[in-house]
Amino acid sequence: MAAGNEVTATYYIQHHLQNLTFGYHPQNGWSLASTSAEATEMGFWAIHLDTMGWSIAMGMLFIWLFRKAGKMATTGVPGGLQNGVEMVVEFIENLTRSAFQGRNPVIAPLALTLFMWILLMNSLKIIPVDYFPELFARLGVEYMKIVPTTDPNATLGMALGVFFLIIFYSIKVKGAGGFAKELSLTPFNHWSLIPFNLVLEVIGLLVKPLGLGLRLFGNMFAGEVIFILIALLPFWAIWLLDVPWAIFHILVVTLQAFIFTVLSIVYLSAAHEHH
């Protein structure tokens, strides 16, 4: 009996951590993976449909909310949505002014988009872990992970986007020669130490997107695992632990969106600096 419960618990955890994966399988052709092994065999170009779908949905929700607030904006007594949007916009403006030292009209809108998009994706974690998997199972969809930031493909994808902007603005602001000189002569301004400088600077440059993506993924994935483990407990224990953990996780959800945003601003600010 104990062994059976262990198998059931293991299957439950694996099921809830498995993405809805579509790709080319050597035996089945283009299809949805029915097991994690099949998803692995599909290789690098397989697509996590749930991650893509929910991340796009949260992006569209962000656009809709802010567009609606803009259309409803009034100089009189503002409504709740307008108040909330104005608070977020003001918060991001102040954050950008304090963390970004250059001049670039793209940075504040980018920071707002990152913060709200990640916040909305993270907030899906508050929904009970069984709700959407059971709902989609009734519709014939075997797997459904609704929190995109528990997928490293999503978090590293956003981090790589920030990384490409860092490279782009470093070259645009400093020039290709200036950027190469910065990599070659920092921190030690001597020609004999150029190889050592390059190793240090290139590693530091590559660590930025890895740190951004993995930090967000690690915190969100760990929280998701804990929610799943709580769901395996007896009914009374679920209510005893799930609600406090969900309340605490609201802070984590917001904090992780803030950390990703502020680090992106800081990295882009450094890309605009002249040495």
Side-chain angles (χ1 to χ4, degrees), residues 88-99:
V88 172
V89 170
E90 184 177 355
F91 168 72
I92 294 298
E93 283 181 346
N94 293 333
L95 180 64
T96 305
R97 287 195 189 101
S98 61

Side-chain angles (χ1 to χ4, degrees), residues 159-240:
L160 283 174
V162 174
F163 176 71
F164 291 139
L165 286 175
I166 293 171
I167 301 299
F168 172 77
Y169 284 116
S170 294
I171 295 174
K172 181 180 179 180
V173 173
K174 304 164 188 176
F179 183 45
K181 184 178 179 181
E182 181 181 81
L183 293 177
S184 304
L185 300 176
T186 306
F188 304 108
N189 191 9
H190 194 278
W191 66 267
S192 64
L193 294 173
I194 286 178
F196 182 72
N197 289 336
L198 281 173
V199 171
L200 286 181
E201 290 298 302
V202 170
I203 290 175
L205 198 60
L206 295 177
V207 162
K208 290 177 180 178
L210 284 174
L212 274 177
L214 293 179
R215 181 185 294 105
L216 178 59
F217 161 71
N219 281 277
M220 291 299 102
F221 184 80
E224 184 77 354
V225 170
I226 292 176
F227 274 119
I228 292 171
L229 293 175
I230 291 174
L232 289 169
L233 298 174
F235 180 80
W236 61 269
I238 292 176
W239 282 101
L240 184 64

Side-chain angles (χ1 to χ4, degrees), residues 3-268:
N5 289 338
E6 183 179 343
V7 170
T8 303
T10 301
Y11 172 78
Y12 178 85
I13 293 169
Q14 290 175 344
H15 179 273
H16 279 59
L17 295 179
Q18 175 65 38
N19 286 100
L20 178 64
T21 307
F22 177 80
Y24 183 80
H25 189 269
Q27 280 77 43
N28 303 329
W30 293 100
S31 59
L32 292 171
S34 58
T35 64
S36 58
E38 283 189 10
T40 302
E41 290 167 358
M42 287 177 175
F44 177 79
W45 294 109
I47 299 175
H48 291 170
L49 296 180
D50 42 10
T51 296
M52 293 290 292
W54 287 102
S55 60
I56 292 171
M58 292 302 100
M60 296 300 293
L61 177 60
F62 160 61
I63 294 171
W64 178 79
L65 284 174
F66 276 64
R67 184 173 183 272
K68 183 177 180 181
K71 293 176 69 174
M72 294 171 56
T74 176
T75 56
V77 180
L81 178 60
Q82 183 179 338
N83 265 329
V85 167
E86 287 179 353
M87 287 175 60
V88 172
V89 170
E90 184 177 355
F91 168 72
I92 294 298
E93 283 181 346
N94 293 333
L95 180 64
T96 305
R97 287 195 189 101
S98 61
F100 186 75
Q101 305 305 316
R103 283 189 175 184
N104 191 331
V106 173
I107 302 303
L110 174 65
L112 177 64
T113 301
L114 284 174
F115 179 77
M116 283 305 304
W117 194 22
I118 294 172
L119 180 63
L120 289 171
M121 288 191 289
N122 288 352
S123 298
L124 290 170
K125 185 180 290 293
I126 308 303
I127 300 172
V129 294
D130 288 331
Y131 184 80
F132 276 103
E134 289 184 2
L135 176 63
F136 277 87
R138 294 177 182 179
L139 298 174
V141 180
E142 190 169 358
Y143 300 106
M144 182 55 58
K145 273 181 67 178
I146 69 166
V147 186
T149 46
T150 60
D151 185 349
N153 294 287
T155 59
L156 289 173
M158 290 187 292
L160 283 174
V162 174
F163 176 71
F164 291 139
L165 286 175
I166 293 171
I167 301 299
F168 172 77
Y169 284 116
S170 294
I171 295 174
K172 181 180 179 180
V173 173
K174 304 164 188 176
F179 183 45
K181 184 178 179 181
E182 181 181 81
L183 293 177
S184 304
L185 300 176
T186 306
F188 304 108
N189 191 9
H190 194 278
W191 66 267
S192 64
L193 294 173
I194 286 178
F196 182 72
N197 289 336
L198 281 173
V199 171
L200 286 181
E201 290 298 302
V202 170
I203 290 175
L205 198 60
L206 295 177
V207 162
K208 290 177 180 178
L210 284 174
L212 274 177
L214 293 179
R215 181 185 294 105
L216 178 59
F217 161 71
N219 281 277
M220 291 299 102
F221 184 80
E224 184 77 354
V225 170
I226 292 176
F227 274 119
I228 292 171
L229 293 175
I230 291 174
L232 289 169
L233 298 174
F235 180 80
W236 61 269
I238 292 176
W239 282 101
L240 184 64
L241 297 175
D242 197 47
V243 174
W245 179 246
I247 294 171
F248 169 75
H249 219 67
I250 293 173
L251 300 176
V252 176
V253 159
T254 308
L255 180 62
Q256 290 306 312
F258 170 77
I259 290 173
F260 193 102
T261 304
V262 74
L263 286 178
S264 298
I265 297 172
V266 169
Y267 293 155
L268 288 167

